[in-house]
Amino acid sequence: EPEVTQTPSHQVTQMGQEVILRCVPISNHLYFYWYRQILGQKVEFLVSFYNNEISEKSEIFDDQFSVERPDGSNFTLKIRSTKLEDSAMYFCASSEALTVLNTGELFFGEGSRLTVL
Amino acid sequence: RKEVEQDPGPFNVPEGATVAFNCTYSNSASQSFFWYRQDCRKEPKLLMSVYSSGNEDGRFTAQLNRASQYISLLIRDSKLSDSATYLCVVISNAGNNRKLIWGLGTSLAVNP
């Protein structure tokens, strides 16, 4: 069964360092997303990406965040200068273009846990 | 009023019990509704969609009440493996876009 894969599964970094989280979405999917979940809190939308550009972003997704799809398979989230409050689980998800609007089905990766010290 | 609101629980029930969760939403124009399940420290996974007429999948029944703006999830004959957080997701219009709005989740612990 196709799946979304994410690397690394866990990253520990110092405050102020840059971090890149990587995702390989399901190959025939066209919409890509990043969500985060701070421990014990709700799943929070960060950004959606379609047709090689950001289609929507939340207030959380400020100038320190960026996304890229550099090679047609990977979908990356970069945090330029990490803060303590960026510590969270970051989930990548993908969906077929129309699926999410009609069935709500996002396929999530297992997440990358980011710990900022 | 929050866009999507759930009772966080936790709900502690014995095996075999019937348990129900509600989720309220604020946007009366919301169009689609879903329940996701999230196991501890794992990714969310779609459990079931919620249709206007209500729908059932084995021990799980989902219902929508548009007049009162809530959806419900009923779990019958609960199993230990049902222990998880159940997330309500609503698709609402936001200007020209449609977006998924997530509830905080309701935690269920099924005890032997």
Side-chain angles (χ1 to χ4, degrees):
Chain A
E1 184 178 327
E3 57 181 17
V4 177
T5 56
Q6 290 187 240
T7 53
S9 56
H10 188 193
Q11 182 155 356
V12 182
T13 190
Q14 296 289 326
M15 195 167 56
Q17 295 296 304
E18 176 181 285
V19 158
I20 297 176
L21 305 179
R22 291 183 170 79
C23 170
V24 179
I26 295 173
S27 61
N28 65 332
H29 284 186
L30 300 176
Y31 267 99
F32 315 113
Y33 309 83
W34 282 102
Y35 285 83
R36 80 171 185 192
Q37 188 173 32
I38 296 169
L39 189 63
Q41 297 188 26
K42 68 186 289 184
V43 174
E44 296 177 296
F45 169 73
L46 293 178
V47 65
S48 60
F49 193 87
Y50 173 69
N51 199 25
N52 286 319
E53 59 183 22
I54 291 174
S55 52
E56 188 181 356
K57 60 182 180 179
S58 72
E59 291 175 354
I60 303 168
F61 195 87
D62 60 21
D63 291 345
Q64 70 159 345
F65 291 93
S66 63
V67 288
E68 259 193 336
R69 190 159 157 79
D71 57 12
S73 62
N74 289 288
F75 178 51
T76 62
L77 175 70
K78 183 192 288 186
I79 310 175
R80 268 181 263 285
S81 176
T82 49
K83 306 184 187 77
L84 295 176
E85 55 266 34
D86 293 329
S87 295
M89 181 74 94
Y90 288 80
F91 291 108
C92 174
S94 70
S95 70
E96 295 174 13
L98 296 178
T99 295
V100 68
L101 300 179
N102 295 330
T103 72
E105 184 157 23
L106 300 179
F107 293 81
F108 284 84
E110 293 187 339
S112 293
R113 181 168 297 283
L114 176 65
T115 301
V116 182
L117 304 175
Chain B
R1 185 178 179 181
K2 290 181 184 175
E3 288 183 290
V4 174
E5 198 154 8
Q6 295 181 251
D7 181 345
F11 283 61
N12 284 287
V13 302
E15 259 186 301
T18 296
V19 61
F21 312 132
N22 279 346
C23 166
T24 58
Y25 59 94
S26 60
N27 185 348
S28 59
S30 298
Q31 299 175 328
S32 305
F33 310 89
F34 310 92
W35 286 102
Y36 274 71
R37 170 191 169 130
Q38 186 176 26
D39 291 304
C40 186
R41 295 179 181 267
K42 296 284 192 180
E43 74 277 21
K45 291 184 180 177
L46 181 66
L47 178 65
M48 60 197 301
S49 305
V50 186
Y51 302 125
S52 297
S53 54
N55 48 300
E56 191 172 308
D57 183 2
R59 298 180 292 109
F60 297 82
T61 300
Q63 291 195 310
L64 166 64
N65 184 320
R66 284 195 183 274
S68 301
Q69 292 180 211
Y70 75 85
I71 65 171
S72 63
L73 178 68
L74 181 79
I75 306 175
R76 287 182 299 278
D77 187 24
S78 50
K79 314 286 184 196
L80 296 177
S81 57
D82 294 333
S83 298
T85 296
Y86 291 83
L87 301 162
C88 170
V89 177
V90 174
I91 294 185
S92 289
N93 291 324
N96 292 326
N97 294 319
R98 296 173 70 182
K99 62 176 185 176
L100 275 72
I101 304 170
W102 293 73
L104 181 65
T106 297
S107 175
L108 172 65
V110 180
N111 304 308

